[in-house]
């Protein structure tokens, strides 16, 4: 009787439990074609003044994707954008905070390593909603990961552009300062040449020999060029419109700057992962295991019945013995 009661009770209990379905997706690292556009800096021959950057590979992108799968910030953003709060708690009481739902969702999402990839799963009452939720979440994290990486690359490009523009501005400023200094030096030499009557260039070799000086170590005065030549040089410097052709390394910097401005990132076919198997609505429930519940309940009822039978027999013998003694 106890076995029968336990079996019927466990059967009723098992049938009263709601069916829970598990939707799971298997993901692999992205293929090279999925991240090719991210190597915009590594794919161009940059000048020697440019910062050396490590190439982006599938491993680094996939690691960022796995990290973002468990990001609470992105989970909150996904829940709010896709209306998951109403789905998870349609009739929630007013005292239920959003943080509690965020925590519940984080516990429901399971991410596990699966060989060279990962598996992401969720268990819900509705198999269709479970599969749709997993696929939407994977696509959402994929988009957010690519957006973050692209934004980092764009910021790096902007930073290098600022550095080059600063170097160009600095070189131009110093070139202008040097030209003004040279004009002052020429102006002073012109005054000296005029005062000494040095109109044309003086042969400096004879001067050095006459003074028994070493031509390799002697400094020939600038006014020896003559005030006519010095004045022509000074006027040429004054009329110079730009110093760019005379600045060493400027064209290389401008070439690198033009290269950075021309870099474009095509985000259309970029992916941070490769879907090996998308989530699909499962047909078989994962919980509860009704057969096991009935078997355990029946076995428990059987042992309880045996125990009660022996206990009842023991009590009856005690009564019999007590009646005989009395």
């Amino acid at each position: 009787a106890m076995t029968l009661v336990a079996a019927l009770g466990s059967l009723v209990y098992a049938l009263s439990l709601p069916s829970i379905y598990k939707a799971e997706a298997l993901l692999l690292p992205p293929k090279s074609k999925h991240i090719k556009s991210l190597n915009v800096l590594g794919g161009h021959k940059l000048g020697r003044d440019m910062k050396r950057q490590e190439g982006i590979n599938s491993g680094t992108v996939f690691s960022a994707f796995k990290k973002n799968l468990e990001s609470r910030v992105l989970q909150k953003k996904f829940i709010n954008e896709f209306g998951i709060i109403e789905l998870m708690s349609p009739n929630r009481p007013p005292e239920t905070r959003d943080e509690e739902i965020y925590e519940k969702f984080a516990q429901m999402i399971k991410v596990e390593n699966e060989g060279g990839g990962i598996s992401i799963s969720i268990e819900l009452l509705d198999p269709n909603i479970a599969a749709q939720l997993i696929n939407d979440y994977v696509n959402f994290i994929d988009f957010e990961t690519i957006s973050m990486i692209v934004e980092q690359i764009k910021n790096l490009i902007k930073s290098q552009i600022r550095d080059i523009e600063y170097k160009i501005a600095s070189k131009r400023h110093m070139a202008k300062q040097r030209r003004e200094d040279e004009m002052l030096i020429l102006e002073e030499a012109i005054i000296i040449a005029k005062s000494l009557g040095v109109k044309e260039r003086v042969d400096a070799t004879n001067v050095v020999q006459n003074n028994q000086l070493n031509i390799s170590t002697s400094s020939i005065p600038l006014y020896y060029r003559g005030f006519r030549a010095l004045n022509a040089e000074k006027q040429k410097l004054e009329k110079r419109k730009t110093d760019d052709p005379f600045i060493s390394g400027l064209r290389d910097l401008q070439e690198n700057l033009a290269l950075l401005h021309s870099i474009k990132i095509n985000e259309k076919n970029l992916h941070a992962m490769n879907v090996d198997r998308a989530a699909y609505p499962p047909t078989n429930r994962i919980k509860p295991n009704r057969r096991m519940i009935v078997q355990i309940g029946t076995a428990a009822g059987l042992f309880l019945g045996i125990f009660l039978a022996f206990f009842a027999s023991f009590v009856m013998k005690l009564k019999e013995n007590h009646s005989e003694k009395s």
Side-chain angles (χ1 to χ4, degrees), residues 105-164:
F105 180 82
Q107 295 175 355
M108 292 170 61
I109 293 292
K110 304 296 182 183
V111 180
E112 299 176 348
N113 293 325
E114 191 78 22
I118 57 174
S119 69
I120 176 171
S121 62
I122 192 171
E123 297 177 2
L124 292 175
L125 299 176
D126 191 319
N128 296 306
I129 294 179
Q132 184 67 38
L133 189 62
I134 285 295
N135 291 329
D136 288 343
Y137 186 64
V138 168
N139 293 331
F140 173 80
I141 298 298
D142 179 37
F143 175 80
E144 290 293 330
T145 303
I146 291 298
S147 298
M148 290 180 181
I149 296 176
V150 170
E151 187 64 24
Q152 291 174 359
I153 294 175
K154 289 181 178 179
N155 290 335
L156 179 60
I157 293 175
K158 290 179 182 179
S159 175
Q160 293 193 358
I161 288 176
R162 286 194 299 269
D163 290 343
I164 294 177

Side-chain angles (χ1 to χ4, degrees), residues 162-175 247 250 253:
R162 286 194 299 269
D163 290 343
I164 294 177
E165 289 176 341
Y166 174 79
K167 290 180 181 179
I168 291 175
S170 177
K171 282 180 174 290
R172 283 174 173 167
H173 174 75
M174 293 308 301
I247 301 175
L250 179 66
L253 290 174

Side-chain angles (χ1 to χ4, degrees), residues 56-242:
I56 297 176
N57 55 52
S58 61
T60 56
V61 175
F62 195 53
S63 296
F65 174 78
K66 290 193 291 186
K67 183 178 180 181
N68 288 337
L69 279 176
E70 299 178 345
S71 170
R72 296 299 178 90
V73 175
L74 292 180
Q75 287 178 355
K76 291 180 181 179
K77 185 177 180 180
F78 173 75
I79 290 173
N80 292 324
E81 289 188 3
F82 285 77
I84 308 300
I85 290 182
E86 290 75 14
L87 177 64
M88 296 181 60
S89 184
N91 300 316
R92 62 170 180 162
E95 62 272 10
T96 304
R97 299 181 302 168
D98 290 347
E99 291 297 330
E100 296 178 4
I101 297 178
Y102 298 151
E103 185 68 24
K104 181 180 178 181
F105 180 82
Q107 295 175 355
M108 292 170 61
I109 293 292
K110 304 296 182 183
V111 180
E112 299 176 348
N113 293 325
E114 191 78 22
I118 57 174
S119 69
I120 176 171
S121 62
I122 192 171
E123 297 177 2
L124 292 175
L125 299 176
D126 191 319
N128 296 306
I129 294 179
Q132 184 67 38
L133 189 62
I134 285 295
N135 291 329
D136 288 343
Y137 186 64
V138 168
N139 293 331
F140 173 80
I141 298 298
D142 179 37
F143 175 80
E144 290 293 330
T145 303
I146 291 298
S147 298
M148 290 180 181
I149 296 176
V150 170
E151 187 64 24
Q152 291 174 359
I153 294 175
K154 289 181 178 179
N155 290 335
L156 179 60
I157 293 175
K158 290 179 182 179
S159 175
Q160 293 193 358
I161 288 176
R162 286 194 299 269
D163 290 343
I164 294 177
E165 289 176 341
Y166 174 79
K167 290 180 181 179
I168 291 175
S170 177
K171 282 180 174 290
R172 283 174 173 167
H173 174 75
M174 293 308 301
K176 180 182 178 181
Q177 186 66 48
R178 290 191 182 98
R179 178 164 55 86
E180 293 175 352
D181 292 345
E182 188 175 354
M183 287 190 296
L184 290 175
I185 294 172
L186 289 173
E187 186 177 349
E188 183 178 294
I190 290 172
I191 295 174
I192 296 174
K194 285 182 177 181
S195 64
L196 296 177
V198 183
K199 184 176 181 180
E200 303 294 340
R201 179 182 294 275
V202 177
D203 189 356
T205 304
N206 295 331
V207 175
V208 173
Q209 290 175 350
N210 293 335
N211 290 278
Q212 297 180 350
L213 298 174
N214 187 348
I215 193 170
S216 62
T217 59
S218 298
S219 176
I220 306 301
L222 188 61
Y223 61 82
Y224 272 33
R225 299 182 187 179
F227 68 82
R228 290 184 61 182
L230 293 171
N231 191 56
E233 290 185 34
K234 180 174 177 293
Q235 290 179 356
K236 192 66 177 177
L237 291 176
E238 290 175 344
K239 294 179 180 179
R240 181 182 293 176
K241 296 181 179 180
T242 176

